[in-house]
C-alpha cells in the first residue's frame, strides 16, 4: 500500500514573512497538511489493493473506481494533500507580485487587468469549500 507522508516545506517557516508569518506556516504544515495526510491514508486503507497502489493524482483522476464509502474522504483529503504539496512548492521567499509575459497577457485579455482578476478570483472562491485556497 502507498502510505503518504507529510512532505517537508522547501524553506523555513518564517521565509515568507511579513506576508505569511512563521506560526501560520507551521500550523498549516504540521496540523492542516498532516491531517489531510492522515485522513487520506485512513481512507485508502479501506480500499481494494489496486486503489491502494495508485498515486494520489491517479486516484483523484479515477474516483469512479473508488468504493462509494471512501470516495468523499479520498476526494476531499486527497485533494487537500496534493493541493498543499503544490502550495508549498509554488510559494517562495521574495516571490509574488503581478505576473508577466503570456500569463499577464491572458489575464488582461480575459479580465481587463490584474486587479480585476484578483477581485473576481477572490469573490468567486469565497463561495466554495476550501475558500482559503483563493
Amino acid at each position: 500500500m502507498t502510505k503518504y507522508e507529510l512532505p517537508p516545506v522547501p524553506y523555513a517557516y518564517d521565509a515568507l514573512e511579513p506576508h505569511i508569518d512563521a506560526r501560520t506556516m507551521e500550523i498549516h504544515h504540521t496540523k492542516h497538511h498532516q491531517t489531510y495526510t492522515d485522513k487520506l491514508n485512513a481512507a485508502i486503507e479501506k480500499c481494494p489493493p489496486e486503489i491502494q497502489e495508485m498515486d494520489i493524482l491517479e486516484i483523484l483522476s479515477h474516483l469512479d473506481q473508488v468504493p462509494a464509502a471512501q470516495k468523499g474522504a479520498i476526494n476531499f483529503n486527497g485533494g487537500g494533500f496534493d493541493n498543499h504539496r503544490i502550495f508549498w512548492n509554488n510559494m517562495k521567499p521574495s516571490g509574488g507580485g503581478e505576473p508577466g509575459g503570456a500569463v499577464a497577457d491572458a489575464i488582461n485579455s480575459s479580465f481587463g487587468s490584474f486587479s480585476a482578476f484578483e477581485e473576481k478570483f477572490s469573490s468567486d472562491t469565497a463561495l466554495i469549500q476550501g475558500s482559503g485556497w483563493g
Side-chain angles (χ1 to χ4, degrees):
M1 179 187 117
T2 300
K3 175 130 174 116
Y4 293 97
E5 295 181 3
L6 182 69
V9 174
Y11 38 79
Y13 289 136
D14 66 354
L16 303 180
E17 289 184 350
H19 306 290
I20 303 176
D21 65 273
R23 184 71 179 134
T24 297
M25 292 294 287
E26 180 181 8
I27 289 169
H28 208 74
H29 183 241
T30 64
K31 303 292 184 208
H32 298 311
H33 197 176
Q34 184 67 62
T35 298
Y36 284 123
T37 304
D38 294 342
K39 289 184 176 183
L40 172 61
N41 283 324
I44 287 178
E45 285 177 5
K46 298 174 185 168
C47 289
E50 61 271 14
I51 299 295
Q52 292 181 15
E53 295 304 319
M54 290 180 178
D55 175 74
I56 189 56
L57 293 178
E58 189 177 4
I59 295 170
L60 292 172
S61 296
H62 297 93
L63 280 173
D64 59 321
Q65 297 176 22
V66 173
Q70 301 309 316
K71 191 177 292 189
I74 289 176
N75 187 38
F76 183 76
N77 294 297
F81 172 81
D82 198 55
N83 284 339
H84 276 84
R85 285 195 308 189
I86 294 167
F87 174 78
W88 304 125
N89 290 305
N90 281 336
M91 306 290 279
K92 65 180 183 177
S94 302
E98 291 190 25
V103 172
D105 293 344
I107 288 171
N108 291 332
S109 174
S110 296
F111 298 95
S113 68
F114 185 72
S115 107
F117 162 75
E118 284 182 307
E119 185 176 319
K120 174 82 170 137
F121 187 83
S122 294
S123 65
D124 285 1
T125 58
L127 303 173
I128 61 171
Q129 182 181 25
S131 61
W133 290 104

